[in-house]
Protein backbone atom coordinates (compact mmCIF):
# COMPACT_ATOMS: atom_id res chain seq x y z
CA UNK A 1 0.00 0.00 0.00
CA UNK A 2 2.86 2.34 0.87
CA UNK A 3 4.56 1.67 -2.47
CA UNK A 4 1.30 2.32 -4.33
CA UNK A 5 0.79 5.59 -2.50
CA UNK A 6 4.37 6.68 -3.19
CA UNK A 7 3.98 5.83 -6.86
CA UNK A 8 0.75 7.80 -7.11
CA UNK A 9 2.35 10.82 -5.44
CA UNK A 10 5.30 10.64 -7.83
CA UNK A 11 3.00 10.55 -10.88
CA UNK A 12 0.83 13.41 -9.61
CA UNK A 13 3.85 15.51 -8.69
CA UNK A 14 4.88 15.87 -12.31
CA UNK A 15 8.52 15.31 -11.42
CA UNK A 16 9.05 12.72 -14.14
CA UNK A 17 10.54 14.56 -17.10
CA UNK A 18 8.65 13.71 -20.30
CA UNK A 19 10.74 16.06 -22.45
CA UNK A 20 11.91 14.52 -25.73
CA UNK A 21 15.35 15.95 -24.99
CA UNK A 22 15.83 13.52 -22.11
CA UNK A 23 16.09 9.73 -22.29
CA UNK A 24 13.74 7.57 -20.26
CA UNK A 25 15.12 5.82 -17.22
CA UNK A 26 16.81 2.57 -18.24
CA UNK A 27 14.15 0.49 -16.55
CA UNK A 28 11.39 2.46 -18.29
CA UNK A 29 13.03 1.99 -21.69
CA UNK A 30 13.46 -1.73 -21.05
CA UNK A 31 9.87 -2.19 -19.94
CA UNK A 32 8.35 -0.21 -22.84
CA UNK A 33 10.48 -2.07 -25.38
CA UNK A 34 9.52 -5.44 -23.88
CA UNK A 35 5.81 -4.56 -23.98
CA UNK A 36 6.14 -3.33 -27.58
CA UNK A 37 7.95 -6.42 -28.85
CA UNK A 38 5.62 -8.86 -27.12
CA UNK A 39 2.56 -6.96 -28.34
CA UNK A 40 3.76 -7.14 -31.96
CA UNK A 41 4.42 -10.86 -31.69
CA UNK A 42 1.02 -11.54 -30.13
CA UNK A 43 -1.21 -9.43 -32.36
CA UNK A 44 0.58 -10.34 -35.59
CA UNK A 45 -0.56 -13.94 -35.06
CA UNK A 46 -3.92 -12.87 -36.51
CA UNK A 47 -2.32 -11.65 -39.73
CA UNK A 48 -2.86 -14.07 -42.59
CA UNK A 49 -0.17 -15.38 -44.85
CA UNK A 50 1.30 -12.77 -47.22
CA UNK A 51 -0.49 -12.81 -50.58
CA UNK A 52 1.48 -13.67 -53.73
CA UNK A 53 3.69 -10.69 -54.48
CA UNK A 54 2.32 -8.70 -57.39
CA UNK A 55 4.68 -7.49 -60.13
CA UNK A 56 6.26 -4.16 -59.18
CA UNK A 57 4.93 -4.44 -55.61
CA UNK A 58 8.36 -3.74 -54.08
CA UNK A 59 8.79 -0.71 -56.33
CA UNK A 60 5.44 0.70 -55.24
CA UNK A 61 6.43 0.08 -51.64
CA UNK A 62 9.76 1.83 -52.20
CA UNK A 63 8.05 4.94 -53.59
CA UNK A 64 5.76 5.12 -50.58
CA UNK A 65 8.66 4.52 -48.20
CA UNK A 66 10.53 7.45 -49.74
CA UNK A 67 7.49 9.72 -49.45
CA UNK A 68 6.20 8.69 -46.05
CA UNK A 69 8.85 6.80 -44.09
CA UNK A 70 12.40 7.81 -45.07
CA UNK A 71 12.26 11.15 -43.24
CA UNK A 72 12.23 9.27 -39.92
CA UNK A 73 13.75 5.87 -40.70
CA UNK A 74 16.46 6.88 -43.16
CA UNK A 75 17.25 5.13 -46.44
CA UNK A 76 20.14 3.20 -47.98
CA UNK A 77 23.09 5.53 -48.46
CA UNK A 78 21.34 8.36 -46.61
CA UNK A 79 22.48 9.26 -43.08
CA UNK A 80 19.86 9.77 -40.37
CA UNK A 81 18.11 13.11 -40.65
CA UNK A 82 18.14 15.74 -37.93
CA UNK A 83 14.48 14.89 -37.32
CA UNK A 84 15.32 11.24 -36.76
CA UNK A 85 18.19 12.09 -34.39
CA UNK A 86 16.01 14.39 -32.27
CA UNK A 87 13.21 11.88 -31.69
CA UNK A 88 12.91 9.79 -28.53
CA UNK A 89 12.73 6.92 -28.92
CA UNK A 90 14.81 7.24 -32.09
CA UNK A 91 13.06 5.60 -35.08
CA UNK A 92 14.95 2.42 -36.00
CA UNK A 93 16.62 1.95 -39.34
CA UNK A 94 14.39 -0.54 -41.12
CA UNK A 95 17.38 -1.85 -43.05
CA UNK A 96 18.64 -3.21 -39.72
CA UNK A 97 15.43 -3.94 -37.80
CA UNK A 98 13.88 -5.87 -40.70
CA UNK A 99 16.02 -8.84 -39.63
CA UNK A 100 14.10 -9.02 -36.36
CA UNK A 101 10.61 -9.35 -37.77
CA UNK A 102 8.73 -11.76 -40.03
CA UNK A 103 6.71 -10.41 -42.99
CA UNK A 104 3.51 -10.78 -40.97
CA UNK A 105 5.00 -8.84 -38.07
CA UNK A 106 6.25 -6.11 -40.40
CA UNK A 107 2.76 -5.92 -41.90
CA UNK A 108 1.24 -5.46 -38.44
CA UNK A 109 3.78 -2.76 -37.54
CA UNK A 110 3.25 -0.78 -40.76
CA UNK A 111 -0.53 -1.09 -40.64
CA UNK A 112 -1.05 -0.38 -36.93
CA UNK A 113 1.84 1.90 -36.00
CA UNK A 114 3.24 2.11 -32.46
CA UNK A 115 1.91 4.02 -29.47
CA UNK A 116 4.27 6.50 -27.80
CA UNK A 117 6.87 6.27 -30.56
CA UNK A 118 5.62 8.73 -33.18
CA UNK A 119 4.93 5.84 -35.58
CA UNK A 120 1.45 6.46 -37.06
CA UNK A 121 -1.01 3.79 -38.14
CA UNK A 122 -1.72 3.34 -41.86
CA UNK A 123 -3.90 6.23 -42.97
CA UNK A 124 -6.42 3.91 -44.65
CA UNK A 125 -6.69 0.89 -42.29
CA UNK A 126 -9.04 -0.95 -44.65
CA UNK A 127 -6.48 -1.01 -47.47
CA UNK A 128 -4.49 -4.12 -46.58
CA UNK A 129 -3.59 -4.38 -50.27
CA UNK A 130 -1.49 -1.21 -49.92
CA UNK A 131 0.48 -2.37 -46.89
CA UNK A 132 1.88 -5.57 -48.41
CA UNK A 133 3.89 -3.74 -51.12
CA UNK A 134 5.65 -1.79 -48.35
CA UNK A 135 6.45 -5.09 -46.63
CA UNK A 136 7.75 -6.47 -49.94
CA UNK A 137 10.08 -3.49 -50.22
CA UNK A 138 11.28 -3.74 -46.61
CA UNK A 139 12.27 -7.33 -47.28
CA UNK A 140 14.63 -6.10 -50.00
CA UNK A 141 15.89 -2.86 -48.49
CA UNK A 142 18.72 -4.44 -46.54
CA UNK A 143 20.28 -5.63 -49.83
CA UNK A 144 20.09 -2.24 -51.57
CA UNK A 145 22.89 0.27 -51.93
CA UNK A 146 22.16 3.97 -52.42
CA UNK A 147 21.94 3.75 -56.23
CA UNK A 148 19.70 0.68 -56.25
CA UNK A 149 17.38 2.31 -53.72
CA UNK A 150 17.10 5.49 -55.76
CA UNK A 151 16.26 3.49 -58.87
CA UNK A 152 13.61 1.46 -57.08
CA UNK A 153 12.06 4.51 -55.38
CA UNK A 154 12.01 6.50 -58.64
CA UNK A 155 14.36 9.25 -57.47
CA UNK A 156 17.50 8.33 -59.45
CA UNK A 157 17.01 11.40 -61.66
CA UNK A 158 15.17 13.55 -59.16
CA UNK A 159 15.51 14.79 -55.64
CA UNK A 160 14.57 12.91 -52.47
CA UNK A 161 11.32 14.30 -51.18
CA UNK A 162 8.73 13.96 -48.50
CA UNK A 163 5.34 14.35 -50.12
CA UNK A 164 4.91 17.28 -52.48
CA UNK A 165 6.89 19.83 -50.54
CA UNK A 166 8.21 21.69 -53.61
CA UNK A 167 6.68 24.71 -55.24
CA UNK A 168 6.53 24.19 -59.00
CA UNK A 169 4.17 22.13 -61.11
CA UNK A 170 7.14 20.36 -62.68
CA UNK A 171 8.42 19.25 -59.28
CA UNK A 172 4.99 17.98 -58.28
CA UNK A 173 4.66 16.09 -61.56
CA UNK A 174 8.04 14.47 -60.87
CA UNK A 175 6.57 13.00 -57.68
CA UNK A 176 3.41 11.82 -59.47
CA UNK A 177 5.51 10.27 -62.24
CA UNK A 178 7.25 7.93 -59.82
CA UNK A 179 4.13 5.76 -59.82
CA UNK A 180 1.90 7.00 -62.65
CA UNK A 181 4.48 7.96 -65.26
CA UNK A 182 4.93 11.46 -66.65
CA UNK A 183 2.11 12.97 -68.73
CA UNK A 184 2.05 11.11 -72.03
CA UNK A 185 4.21 8.24 -70.71
CA UNK A 186 3.21 4.82 -69.49
CA UNK A 187 3.08 4.06 -65.79
CA UNK A 188 6.36 2.48 -64.63
CA UNK A 189 4.43 0.37 -62.10
CA UNK A 190 1.91 -1.97 -63.65
CA UNK A 191 -0.37 -2.14 -60.61
CA UNK A 192 -0.79 1.65 -60.62
CA UNK A 193 -3.24 3.32 -63.02
CA UNK A 194 -2.02 5.27 -66.02
CA UNK A 195 -3.43 8.81 -65.81
CA UNK A 196 -2.62 10.26 -69.21
CA UNK A 197 -5.74 10.63 -71.31
CA UNK A 198 -8.17 10.51 -68.40
CA UNK A 199 -10.63 13.38 -68.27
CA UNK A 200 -9.75 16.46 -66.27
CA UNK A 201 -13.06 16.29 -64.40
CA UNK A 202 -12.42 12.73 -63.26
CA UNK A 203 -8.84 13.41 -62.15
CA UNK A 204 -9.84 16.51 -60.17
CA UNK A 205 -12.68 14.65 -58.47
CA UNK A 206 -10.37 11.75 -57.60
CA UNK A 207 -7.84 14.09 -55.98
CA UNK A 208 -10.56 15.79 -53.94
CA UNK A 209 -11.96 12.41 -52.87
CA UNK A 210 -8.50 11.30 -51.73
CA UNK A 211 -7.80 14.56 -49.89
CA UNK A 212 -11.15 14.44 -48.06
CA UNK A 213 -10.76 10.76 -47.19
CA UNK A 214 -13.81 9.70 -49.19
CA UNK A 215 -11.59 7.45 -51.30
CA UNK A 216 -9.30 5.66 -48.85
CA UNK A 217 -5.66 5.17 -49.77
CA UNK A 218 -2.59 5.24 -47.58
CA UNK A 219 -0.65 6.36 -50.65
CA UNK A 220 -2.86 8.99 -52.24
CA UNK A 221 -4.46 10.55 -49.15
CA UNK A 222 -1.01 11.54 -47.93
CA UNK A 223 -0.22 13.27 -51.23
CA UNK A 224 -3.58 14.78 -52.15
CA UNK A 225 -3.97 16.39 -48.71
CA UNK A 226 -0.90 18.52 -49.49
CA UNK A 227 -2.48 20.07 -52.58
CA UNK A 228 -4.77 23.07 -52.81
CA UNK A 229 -7.54 23.42 -55.41
CA UNK A 230 -5.34 25.26 -57.91
CA UNK A 231 -2.61 22.65 -57.69
CA UNK A 232 -5.13 19.86 -58.19
CA UNK A 233 -6.49 21.58 -61.29
CA UNK A 234 -3.00 22.03 -62.71
CA UNK A 235 -2.00 18.40 -62.17
CA UNK A 236 -5.29 17.11 -63.58
CA UNK A 237 -4.92 19.31 -66.66
CA UNK A 238 -1.34 18.15 -67.27
CA UNK A 239 -2.41 14.51 -67.46
CA UNK A 240 -5.75 15.10 -69.17
CA UNK A 241 -4.14 17.08 -71.99
CA UNK A 242 -1.54 14.38 -72.66
CA UNK A 243 -2.42 11.58 -75.06
CA UNK A 244 -2.49 8.16 -73.47
CA UNK A 245 0.39 6.03 -74.74
CA UNK A 246 -0.42 2.59 -76.15
CA UNK A 247 0.09 -0.25 -73.72
CA UNK A 248 2.10 -3.29 -74.65
CA UNK A 249 -0.19 -6.20 -75.42
CA UNK A 250 -0.34 -8.73 -72.59
CA UNK A 251 0.64 -12.21 -73.65
CA UNK A 252 -0.33 -15.68 -72.48
CA UNK A 253 -3.87 -14.88 -71.37
CA UNK A 254 -6.23 -17.86 -71.82
CA UNK A 255 -8.54 -17.23 -74.74
CA UNK A 256 -11.58 -18.32 -72.71
CA UNK A 257 -10.82 -15.71 -70.04
CA UNK A 258 -10.49 -12.94 -72.62
CA UNK A 259 -13.71 -13.97 -74.32
CA UNK A 260 -15.65 -13.95 -71.06
CA UNK A 261 -14.15 -10.58 -70.14
CA UNK A 262 -15.11 -9.12 -73.51
CA UNK A 263 -18.70 -10.28 -73.10
CA UNK A 264 -18.97 -8.64 -69.67
CA UNK A 265 -17.24 -5.43 -70.81
CA UNK A 266 -19.28 -5.01 -73.98
CA UNK A 267 -22.61 -6.68 -73.17
CA UNK A 268 -22.73 -7.03 -69.39
CA UNK A 269 -24.42 -9.91 -67.60
CA UNK A 270 -28.15 -9.15 -67.97
CA UNK A 271 -29.19 -12.20 -65.94
CA UNK A 272 -27.24 -10.80 -62.96
CA UNK A 273 -28.18 -7.18 -63.54
CA UNK A 274 -24.62 -6.25 -64.52
CA UNK A 275 -24.43 -3.49 -67.17
CA UNK A 276 -21.73 -3.41 -69.83
CA UNK A 277 -18.59 -1.68 -68.54
CA UNK A 278 -18.07 0.16 -71.81
CA UNK A 279 -21.49 1.78 -71.64
CA UNK A 280 -19.94 4.35 -69.31
CA UNK A 281 -16.18 3.91 -69.08
CA UNK A 282 -14.91 4.65 -72.57
CA UNK A 283 -13.68 7.83 -74.28
CA UNK A 284 -15.60 10.98 -73.34
CA UNK A 285 -19.13 9.60 -72.92
CA UNK A 286 -19.14 10.78 -69.34
CA UNK A 287 -16.12 12.83 -68.24
CA UNK A 288 -16.92 12.08 -64.59
CA UNK A 289 -16.14 8.38 -65.14
CA UNK A 290 -12.64 6.97 -65.62
CA UNK A 291 -11.62 5.54 -68.98
CA UNK A 292 -10.79 1.92 -68.28
CA UNK A 293 -9.53 0.58 -71.61
CA UNK A 294 -5.94 -0.47 -71.13
CA UNK A 295 -5.80 -0.09 -67.35
CA UNK A 296 -3.72 -2.92 -65.95
CA UNK A 297 -5.47 -6.13 -64.99
CA UNK A 298 -4.29 -6.10 -61.33
CA UNK A 299 -5.51 -2.52 -60.90
CA UNK A 300 -8.95 -3.18 -62.42
CA UNK A 301 -9.43 -6.31 -60.35
CA UNK A 302 -8.38 -4.63 -57.12
CA UNK A 303 -10.73 -1.68 -57.65
CA UNK A 304 -13.66 -4.01 -58.29
CA UNK A 305 -12.85 -5.90 -55.08
CA UNK A 306 -12.70 -2.60 -53.18
CA UNK A 307 -16.09 -1.61 -54.56
CA UNK A 308 -17.49 -5.03 -53.70
CA UNK A 309 -16.20 -4.72 -50.14
CA UNK A 310 -17.73 -1.26 -49.68
CA UNK A 311 -14.31 0.41 -49.37
CA UNK A 312 -15.19 3.15 -51.89
CA UNK A 313 -18.79 3.82 -50.91
CA UNK A 314 -18.14 7.38 -49.76
CA UNK A 315 -17.27 8.56 -53.27
CA UNK A 316 -19.94 10.02 -55.54
CA UNK A 317 -20.48 6.93 -57.65
CA UNK A 318 -19.24 4.38 -55.14
CA UNK A 319 -22.67 2.97 -54.22
CA UNK A 320 -23.47 2.47 -57.91
CA UNK A 321 -20.27 0.54 -58.48
CA UNK A 322 -20.71 -1.50 -55.32
CA UNK A 323 -24.12 -2.66 -56.55
CA UNK A 324 -22.45 -3.82 -59.77
CA UNK A 325 -19.41 -5.40 -58.12
CA UNK A 326 -21.52 -7.36 -55.64
CA UNK A 327 -23.02 -9.22 -58.60
CA UNK A 328 -19.63 -10.22 -59.95
CA UNK A 329 -17.97 -13.46 -58.88
CA UNK A 330 -14.21 -13.72 -58.57
CA UNK A 331 -14.01 -15.35 -62.00
CA UNK A 332 -16.00 -12.47 -63.54
CA UNK A 333 -13.65 -9.92 -62.00
CA UNK A 334 -10.58 -11.79 -63.26
CA UNK A 335 -12.07 -11.99 -66.76
CA UNK A 336 -12.94 -8.28 -66.92
CA UNK A 337 -9.52 -7.32 -65.65
CA UNK A 338 -7.76 -9.57 -68.16
CA UNK A 339 -9.76 -8.22 -71.09
CA UNK A 340 -9.46 -4.53 -70.23
CA UNK A 341 -5.77 -4.90 -69.46
CA UNK A 342 -5.16 -6.46 -72.87
CA UNK A 343 -6.43 -3.41 -74.74
CA UNK A 344 -4.62 -0.26 -75.72
CA UNK A 345 -6.33 2.90 -74.41
CA UNK A 346 -8.99 4.76 -76.35
CA UNK A 347 -10.07 1.88 -78.56
CA UNK A 348 -13.66 2.43 -79.57
CA UNK A 349 -16.01 -0.46 -78.83
Amino acid sequence: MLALTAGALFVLSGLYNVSASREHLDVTTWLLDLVRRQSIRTYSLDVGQPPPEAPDAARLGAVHYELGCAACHGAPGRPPSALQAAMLPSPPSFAESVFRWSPRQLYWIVRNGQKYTGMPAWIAPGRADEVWPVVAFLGRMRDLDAHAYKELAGIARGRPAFGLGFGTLRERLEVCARCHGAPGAASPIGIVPQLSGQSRAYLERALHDYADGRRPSGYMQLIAAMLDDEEMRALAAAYAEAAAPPRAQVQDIPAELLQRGEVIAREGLPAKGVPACLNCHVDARNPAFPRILGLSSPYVEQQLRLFRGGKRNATTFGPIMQAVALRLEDGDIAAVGAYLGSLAPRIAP
Side-chain angles (χ1 to χ4, degrees):
M1 184 64 181
L2 182 62
L4 186 62
T5 301
L9 289 174
F10 177 72
V11 170
L12 294 175
S13 72
L15 291 175
Y16 188 84
N17 192 341
V18 297
S19 166
S21 64
R22 295 282 298 274
E23 291 277 3
H24 279 302
L25 298 174
D26 288 344
V27 65
T28 307
T29 299
W30 173 82
L31 181 60
L32 290 175
D33 189 56
L34 177 62
V35 170
R36 182 181 63 84
R37 286 185 282 109
Q38 292 304 114
S39 177
I40 292 169
R41 292 186 178 114
T42 297
Y43 283 97
S44 65
L45 293 174
D46 288 337
V47 175
Q49 289 299 321
E53 187 174 319
D56 300 325
R59 181 166 187 174
L60 178 59
V63 173
H64 177 78
Y65 182 90
E66 171 63 24
L67 291 173
C69 310
C72 289
H73 293 286
R78 191 183 305 167
S81 66
L83 173 65
Q84 181 182 11
M87 294 179 68
L88 283 179
S90 180
S93 166
F94 267 121
E96 300 171 0
S97 62
V98 74
F99 285 101
R100 307 174 192 168
W101 306 111
S102 70
R104 292 195 298 176
Q105 291 167 341
L106 286 171
Y107 169 88
W108 193 91
I109 293 169
V110 173
R111 185 177 183 184
N112 294 282
Q114 304 278 284
K115 290 178 180 176
Y116 308 117
T117 66
M119 171 74 177
W122 195 255
I123 295 173
R127 294 296 306 274
D129 59 298
E130 293 185 328
V131 179
W132 285 115
V134 177
V135 175
F137 162 69
L138 292 176
R140 299 185 188 184
M141 187 166 68
R142 59 192 177 190
D143 299 321
L144 300 176
D145 59 17
H147 177 73
Y149 170 74
K150 289 180 179 179
E151 286 285 349
L152 196 62
I155 57 173
R157 289 164 294 280
R159 67 178 80 185
F162 174 79
L164 298 182
F166 300 111
T168 69
L169 175 62
R170 178 180 176 180
E171 288 165 337
R172 284 177 168 79
L173 284 171
E174 286 178 357
V175 176
C176 300
R178 295 174 189 176
C179 290
H180 296 284
S187 167
I189 303 176
I191 55 179
V192 171
Q194 184 171 279
L195 302 183
S196 297
Q198 293 288 353
S199 74
R200 180 172 175 172
Y202 169 72
L203 293 175
E204 281 190 48
R205 179 168 61 82
L207 285 171
H208 280 289
D209 285 346
Y210 281 127
D212 296 338
R214 290 191 296 267
R215 183 170 175 177
S217 171
Y219 302 139
M220 286 302 302
Q221 284 179 244
L222 175 69
I223 292 174
M226 298 179 184
L227 302 170
D228 60 29
D229 290 350
E230 182 179 349
E231 291 163 343
M232 290 183 185
R233 286 193 293 269
L235 289 171
Y239 279 102
E241 293 167 5
R247 292 180 62 90
Q249 293 297 309
V250 181
Q251 305 296 323
D252 301 325
I253 301 176
E256 297 82 1
L257 192 67
L258 285 177
Q259 291 169 2
R260 178 164 180 74
E262 182 174 9
V263 168
I264 297 172
R266 294 180 180 275
E267 302 174 16
L269 297 172
K272 293 183 176 181
V274 175
C277 307
L278 301 187
N279 281 351
C280 298
H281 294 282
V282 64
D283 292 334
R285 294 183 182 180
N286 189 330
F289 294 162
R291 297 163 181 168
I292 58 176
L293 291 172
L295 290 176
S296 72
S297 299
Y299 176 75
V300 171
E301 293 176 34
Q302 183 57 33
Q303 295 309 302
L304 287 172
R305 286 192 289 266
L306 290 173
F307 279 122
R308 189 169 63 179
K311 301 294 176 61
R312 291 186 55 179
N313 269 7
T315 59
T316 304
F317 301 107
I320 297 174
M321 280 303 304
Q322 185 190 30
V324 173
L326 283 170
R327 297 165 187 166
L328 295 173
E329 299 175 4
D330 288 345
D332 300 327
I333 289 176
V336 170
Y339 176 69
L340 294 175
S342 71
L343 300 176
R346 306 175 72 109
I347 294 178

